[in-house]
Amino acid sequence: MSAKQVIVVGGNFGGLAAALELKYELADDVAVTVVSASARFLFNPSLIWLPFGKRRAGDITFPLEPTFDAHGVEFVHAEATAIDPAARTVTTSTGAEYRYDYLILATGYRNDYEAVPGLGPDGCAQSITTLADAERAGAAWRDFLDDPGPVVIGATQGASCFGAAYEFLFNMSHQLRKSKLNELTSLTFLTAEPFVGHFGIGGLPGGEKLLKMFLKKEGIAVRTGVAFEEVGGDYVRLTDGSKVKFAYSMVVPPFVGQDVVRAVPNLTDGKGYIPVEDTYRSKAYPEIYAAGIAAQVPVPWRTSVPIGIPKTGFPTESMAKVAARNVASAIKGEDPVSHKEFGEMAAVCMMDAGNNGVLILADHMLPPRKAAVMIPGPQVHAMKLAFEKYYLWKSRHGYVRLP
Ligand SMILES: Cc1cc2nc3c(=O)[nH]c(=O)nc-3n(C[C@H](O)[C@H](O)[C@H](O)COP(=O)(O)OP(=O)(O)OC[C@H]3O[C@@H](n4cnc5c(N)ncnc54)[C@H](O)[C@@H]3O)c2cc1C
């Protein structure tokens, strides 16, 4: 009997972990094909440094094909354009059609620029949430240095990637000081979070106080619970009618799921995220699994301005491994072996601040938590630099079972 065919769509944090974990589980008893729109792995956490010239694309990416080749995974560099769950096929931008027994979707996010007029590649605010965005934000930063003025950093209603917004904010403050512009400019943070340090995960003990202290020390003005109405050429207009002027701005938009998964009947919610069981199997289709940002995580609270939940790298890898192990058990005709709710996964995050940082550790991503701690200090900046190198090394070699 021929080996079962598993297709993984997406080859970044979730897709890489899922494909390799499945190969570790089943070796030659499974044929794994990764279909990825990107030929390279991207270590998104380092995008915060790219605009300031501290990293270039080549420093934070590596080609995926050699890694998958070395582990017996077929790699297809193409965009998946259609999924047919009845025929169990994935069609790609090259017109090729691939049949699957099981499908793992790790397609991540797309920026929802339509959420606020004036966002987007042709808009008025920069973003750092994709490589192309971060490169554009770098060109705008270089222009800004010739003609400086007020700086606005923000995260809109519906955003979830708050950690990156804070990291960019504090890196910006560090860079303004280094360029001796801090006395000449102002720095304002506009966030949809109900309080600073909510991060889309309900906050952490002492987090609000700690961040307020940092923000005050850096002279950063903050407005929380804001919703963006529009971004113009040199201003942000909020829904309360107020206007904040800028010469440079970076605004984190909301994320949504990719169109190829949204187009599958009943597969996704309104935002294009895939509702899943705690096995990461789709609630709609038993042969389809989802991991990482593509998977739906219901928001367990209401805030006056709606915000999303950040599905960061650590839980993304955990989801991918749970999904892969359960696909392996399904192939073996066994019951699911692995169960893990997103909210019960551990939270591990190093937030960088240029020459300082904060380490976040919690037993659970979402409350209730038994243990959570935030440890500030310059050692966290050093840890983040070391972790970037380690993560790229282990991923390039396909050592997905290392922590
Ligand atoms: C600026 C920034 C900073 C961050 N900082 C941190 C941090 O410090 N710590 C942390 O833990 N997390 C951080 N994150 C979050 C982390 O990057 C995500 O958790 C992670 O990228 C999620 O991985 P994923 O595989 O689900 O999605 P993605 O990384 O988005 O990967 C999805 C992949 O699927 C591919 N794809 C999409 N559509 C298709 C298609 N139709 N066909 C084929 N391929 C497709 C894409 O090209 C992409 O390669 C940060 C994110 C950003 C944007």
Side-chain angles (χ1 to χ4, degrees):
M1 209 175 74
S2 61
K4 293 281 186 196
Q5 175 68 56
V6 179
I7 294 181
V8 179
V9 186
N12 222 38
F13 284 74
L16 184 83
L20 297 180
E21 181 71 19
L22 197 50
K23 269 312 238 187
Y24 279 117
E25 286 285 325
L26 293 179
D28 292 340
D29 293 339
V30 65
V32 182
T33 300
V34 171
V35 176
S36 171
S38 171
R40 298 179 77 83
F41 181 92
L42 168 66
F43 188 71
N44 316 45
S46 297
L47 292 175
I48 53 163
W49 293 319
L50 200 118
F52 303 118
K54 290 172 84 175
R55 290 292 180 280
R56 283 172 305 169
D59 304 329
I60 59 171
T61 63
F62 64 83
L64 285 166
E65 190 158 15
T67 303
F68 285 128
D69 271 357
H71 291 81
V73 172
E74 190 189 346
F75 180 67
V76 176
H77 176 208
E79 185 185 342
T81 50
I83 297 164
D84 182 341
R88 295 197 195 171
T89 55
V90 173
T91 307
T92 70
S93 43
T94 63
E97 197 176 85
Y98 298 86
R99 209 198 62 77
Y100 64 80
D101 295 297
Y102 294 94
L103 176 65
I104 302 179
L105 296 170
T107 39
Y109 60 92
R110 168 169 83 67
N111 288 324
D112 183 12
Y113 286 131
E114 297 79 45
V116 178
L119 296 183
D122 304 319
C124 306
Q126 305 301 321
S127 168
I128 51 157
T129 51
T130 69
L131 185 56
D133 287 338
E135 284 175 336
R136 271 189 298 272
W141 167 250
R142 291 187 289 279
D143 290 345
F144 167 86
L145 290 176
D146 293 334
D147 188 14
V151 177
V152 169
I153 309 298
T156 65
Q157 58 272 31
S160 51
C161 201
F162 292 102
Y166 278 102
E167 288 189 291
F168 191 75
L169 175 73
F170 285 110
N171 271 271
M172 173 62 78
S173 182
H174 175 63
Q175 291 294 330
L176 290 174
R177 214 175 317 111
K178 262 180 76 178
S179 312
K180 304 199 184 335
L181 290 173
N182 54 320
E183 301 288 335
L184 304 172
T185 58
S186 61
L187 184 50
T188 304
F189 185 48
L190 303 174
T191 175
E193 296 162 284
F195 55 86
V196 288
H198 183 286
F199 297 132
I201 58 167
L204 293 150
E208 184 178 4
K209 201 169 151 201
L210 182 73
L211 272 168
K212 277 186 170 163
M213 198 184 76
F214 267 130
L215 291 162
K216 193 169 165 202
K217 181 176 151 287
E218 298 291 314
I220 301 170
V222 189
R223 289 186 60 187
T224 54
V226 300
F228 290 55
E229 175 90 37
E230 176 202 7
V231 184
D234 64 352
Y235 65 90
V236 171
R237 194 201 318 273
L238 301 172
T239 51
D240 65 5
S242 59
K243 240 180 172 184
V244 187
K245 299 273 274 182
F246 65 75
Y248 185 97
S249 82
M250 194 292 292
V251 176
V252 169
F255 291 162
V256 286
Q258 300 286 357
D259 292 344
V260 68
V261 292
R262 289 183 97 138
V264 179
N266 307 319
L267 179 65
T268 70
D269 63 15
K271 290 196 161 70
Y273 295 133
I274 301 160
V276 286
E277 314 281 356
D278 64 0
T279 57
Y280 294 89
R281 190 169 86 166
S282 146
K283 289 188 174 172
Y285 297 98
E287 314 78 26
I288 299 182
Y289 290 69
I293 296 182
Q296 182 202 57
V297 174
V299 180
W301 45 66
R302 270 174 170 268
T303 45
S304 58
V305 176
I307 57 174
I309 291 190
K311 295 163 227 169
T312 51
F314 191 75
T316 289
E317 261 202 47
S318 302
M319 288 187 239
K321 290 179 185 175
V322 170
R325 284 179 207 136
N326 289 327
V327 169
S329 43
I331 288 174
K332 288 188 277 186
E334 295 168 2
D335 288 338
V337 285
S338 200
H339 300 259
K340 197 83 179 172
E341 294 281 359
F342 174 88
E344 291 170 358
M345 291 175 182
V348 183
C349 194
M350 282 165 262
M351 275 186 44
D352 186 62
N355 59 354
N356 208 332
V358 180
L359 175 65
I360 297 173
L361 297 171
D363 62 338
H364 289 162
M365 282 296 292
L366 301 176
R369 300 185 183 101
K370 287 204 185 86
V373 63
M374 289 179 78
I375 306 166
Q379 73 282 3
V380 181
H381 174 63
M383 282 166 72
K384 183 127 186 164
L385 296 177
F387 183 75
E388 174 204 57
K389 301 279 174 291
Y390 166 74
Y391 198 89
L392 283 164
W393 168 83
K394 85 155 193 164
S395 301
R396 184 197 289 264
H397 289 89
Y399 299 146
V400 287
R401 289 207 167 165
L402 290 177

